Amino acid sequence: MSMMVNSPLYPDDVDILAGALYAWCAERSIKLQSQEGLFAANVAISLYDAGYHTQDQLLGALHNYEFH
């Protein structure tokens, strides 16, 4: 998974990404700074770039993503 973002992220974008990511991590008792948390952050950015632009959409997509 690439860290490259196709378009710039604005403060509202970061708020959406952070909210979904913090919720996902909290549900699983995962620290954001852990390997799994950082991987989830990369996935969240990719999902956001793919069109999941609300916190609910993004959190739902993270729930449906198969982490290995």
Side-chain angles (χ1 to χ4, degrees):
M1 188 123 341
S2 173
M3 288 288 293
M4 186 177 290
V5 177
N6 294 332
S7 59
L9 294 175
Y10 297 99
D12 289 343
D13 301 324
V14 174
D15 289 344
I16 291 167
L17 282 162
L21 188 57
Y22 288 140
W24 186 89
C25 286
E27 290 169 357
R28 288 160 180 75
S29 299
I30 295 170
K31 293 185 180 205
L32 182 56
Q33 300 84 4
S34 70
Q35 187 73 20
E36 191 172 4
L38 294 174
F39 182 74
N42 285 327
V43 170
I45 291 169
S46 293
L47 291 169
Y48 190 85
D49 283 343
Y52 298 91
H53 292 153
T54 69
Q55 187 171 330
D56 288 338
Q57 289 175 338
L58 192 54
L59 186 56
L62 283 169
H63 285 148
N64 291 328
Y65 189 87
E66 292 192 30
F67 289 85
H68 298 281

